[in-house]
Amino acid sequence: MNHAADHPAVTLRNVRVAARHVALDLSLAPGRTLAVVGPNGAGKSTLLQLVAGLIRPDAGEVLLGGDVASTATHLTPVHQRGVGMLTQRSLLFGHLSVLDNVAFGVRARGASRQAARERAGAELDAVGLAELAGRRPHQLSGGQAQRVALARALATDPTVVMLDEPLSALDVDAAHHMRSLLASRLRGTTAILVTHDPLDLWTIADDVLVLEGGRIAQHGPLDEVAARPATTFLAGLLGTNRLVGVAASAEVVTVGAAEVVGVPATADPPLVGQPAMALFDPAAVVLHPADDHPHGSARNVWPIEVVGVEPRGPLVRVRCRLDDGQLLSADITARSAATLGVVAGRDSTGAVRLLASVKAAQVACLALGDRRP
């Protein structure tokens, strides 16, 4: 539905906000999604407010496409910027039906009641909620309400979509469905996503901006930033295991001599013969002695070499290397680590060799590369 040509670049040129100790100089290319990450107080919300026109910079300028939207002496009003916002809370109007909530912004822009409702119906259909058009917000689940809010945000054809941790208040299942929906609906749209979830990076973002102390610590394409995280915060955020290979099927990624079996992502499933990746949490990894092949339902079993051990409170993060050199992490108890002989990371014969297993249901398989048209 959206095309990059319809969406502008976003540029912050030498922008300063003195009261918040923020200094930003960056550009987001048209039609790309930028994930903004960083610790609390890093300046993430300030960035969104600058682009939306909710605050004015003390110096520098904010440009939407070729138009100057903000300077120290000029501020294009929010309603004239064509931006759309989705936050943690859906903020739907309780006295309106779902359909009229989505139609509200379209109607406010001058469309007739019938035209606004037709557009609202199309957007609800796109997020899979056309059958709930007549309900009121209190009759929706949290995930349904967020999907309605997304439909409302997109119904006005925003030139820039901004998302402020839109999945953080949802349960795991609702977040999964919403994440897949965002990955699909934001294709070709200029978008800025503030998040603390690494899965949002891998499934939604094209580029990553890392903020610390109001300054840019790192900025670039996702794969480049992930390969060399410049901050401790980002390294911790990217704790999700990510193995890269070639898709043997939508459910199988060949990684070196090993196979990783998982669940294809709803958006961007792997294409046979094309680069693909498998994502899974370190807590999903079970380690076994090298001579004790695991019994049970795990579809994935790989030989690994232990390369490091990191205590993390009651758990131990064991860093491992597959035979092709790719790394993965396993979060296990200290007792299990001691039993496996990996506390020191070495034994008398050299590197500790183990088996790692992961259930297929805990692995997400996705296409790798530029996911935008």
Side-chain angles (χ1 to χ4, degrees):
M1 182 177 292
N2 295 315
H3 303 284
D6 301 326
H7 298 270
V10 175
T11 304
L12 281 74
R13 188 175 295 159
N14 299 316
V15 166
R16 304 290 185 272
V17 182
R20 304 189 185 187
H21 308 288
V22 167
L24 301 171
D25 193 352
L26 67 99
S27 182
L28 171 60
R32 291 180 71 83
T33 296
L34 175 70
V36 183
V37 301
N40 292 335
K44 303 185 295 296
S45 295
T46 299
L47 170 60
L48 292 183
Q49 291 169 357
L50 284 164
V51 175
L54 297 173
I55 61 174
R56 187 198 310 265
D58 297 312
E61 55 186 9
V62 178
L63 296 93
L64 299 179
D67 299 325
V68 177
S70 302
T71 67
T73 58
H74 166 73
L75 187 69
T76 300
V78 176
H79 67 276
Q80 294 181 11
R81 295 191 178 214
V83 299
M85 177 76 84
L86 184 64
T87 64
Q88 297 178 36
R89 300 172 58 196
S90 59
L91 300 177
L92 300 178
F93 299 118
H95 65 290
L96 297 179
S97 68
V98 164
L99 182 69
D100 287 335
N101 262 281
V102 178
F104 183 87
V106 184
R107 190 86 170 91
R109 293 188 174 219
S112 68
R113 186 171 185 270
Q114 180 178 350
R117 285 186 140 221
E118 288 177 355
R119 177 58 189 273
E123 291 294 343
L124 284 173
D125 185 58
V127 299
L129 293 180
E131 73 280 4
L132 303 185
R135 291 191 183 181
R136 293 293 177 90
H138 73 272
Q139 297 174 302
L140 305 177
S141 68
Q144 290 170 339
Q146 279 296 73
R147 288 155 68 186
V148 173
L150 175 62
R152 182 176 63 180
L154 296 180
T156 57
D157 294 318
T159 58
V160 181
V161 177
M162 294 185 294
L163 307 104
D164 190 1
E165 300 191 55
L167 310 183
S168 62
L170 302 181
D171 62 37
V172 174
D173 288 339
H176 170 74
H177 290 299
M178 188 69 177
R179 187 177 290 113
S180 293
L181 179 62
L182 286 171
S184 174
R185 299 285 281 131
L186 293 180
R187 283 195 178 97
T189 300
T190 303
I192 301 175
L193 165 69
V194 171
T195 182
H196 284 96
D197 193 323
L199 288 178
D200 293 345
L201 303 187
W202 296 121
T203 57
I204 301 174
D206 298 304
D207 305 304
V208 179
L209 176 69
V210 186
L211 295 179
E212 287 205 354
R215 303 296 190 272
I216 297 174
Q218 195 169 12
H219 178 211
L222 172 59
D223 286 342
E224 294 180 12
V225 171
R228 293 178 177 83
T231 71
T232 301
F233 178 88
L234 181 61
L237 179 65
L238 295 172
T240 295
N241 286 312
R242 176 177 180 261
L243 299 179
V244 175
V246 176
S249 72
E251 299 177 345
V252 179
V253 179
T254 301
V255 178
E259 287 189 342
V260 183
V261 182
V263 179
T266 303
D268 298 324
L271 300 177
V272 175
Q274 297 298 310
M277 60 181 170
L279 306 179
F280 51 96
D281 194 276
V285 181
V286 180
L287 298 181
H288 313 264
D291 59 355
D292 181 18
H293 197 280
H295 303 285
S297 60
R299 298 275 306 276
N300 297 299
V301 181
W302 317 297
I304 54 93
E305 175 187 348
V306 175
V307 296
V309 179
E310 176 188 338
R312 292 195 167 203
L315 296 177
V316 172
R317 172 157 291 183
V318 182
R319 302 195 181 277
C320 314
R321 181 164 50 221
L322 293 173
D323 287 342
D324 77 330
Q326 293 195 58
L327 301 177
L328 63 87
S329 297
D331 287 346
I332 63 176
T333 66
R335 180 177 179 178
S336 294
T339 300
L340 292 166
V342 298
V343 174
R346 297 285 170 180
D347 64 13
S348 59
T349 60
V352 175
R353 300 285 299 184
L354 300 171
L355 293 176
S357 69
V358 184
K359 293 182 178 180
Q362 295 174 299
V363 179
C365 296
L366 303 91
L368 180 67
D370 188 356
R371 297 181 291 282
R372 305 304 179 192

